[in-house]
Amino acid sequence: MSGTPAAPILSIRNVTKAFGGLRAVDRCTLDVLPGRITGLIGPNGAGKSTLFNVIAVLYAPDSGQVLFDGEQVDGLPLHRSV
């Protein structure tokens, strides 16, 4: 590939999600580029499923943003996010 890099299709910006005193996701930032395979790994209890639930709009982040194709989707009703 050459030229200008593609804009991310999914951007996670400083997302934090806590449940009571447990901070399951702490200031997570990542980009998923189109045409690429991106993995998320970590031990049990690291917050992977919680992050996916924030991306899928099942949980609202306590702070940060989720952008899909440049548009903020966190905070949208589930039926508008898909």
Side-chain angles (χ1 to χ4, degrees), residues 10-74:
L10 178 67
S11 293
I12 311 301
R13 295 285 172 254
N14 295 311
V15 167
T16 297
K17 179 64 183 171
F19 300 98
L22 174 68
R23 191 171 289 182
V25 178
D26 189 17
R27 296 173 300 185
C28 179
T29 296
L30 66 93
D31 287 325
V32 177
L33 299 174
R36 300 286 180 114
I37 297 172
T38 302
L40 181 62
I41 61 171
N44 291 344
K48 301 176 300 292
S49 294
T50 300
L51 180 61
F52 277 105
N53 285 328
V54 169
I55 293 167
V57 196
L58 297 173
Y59 298 156
D62 297 329
S63 63
Q65 295 180 311
V66 178
L67 300 143
F68 180 74
D69 203 17
E71 294 187 36
Q72 189 169 347
V73 295
D74 59 277

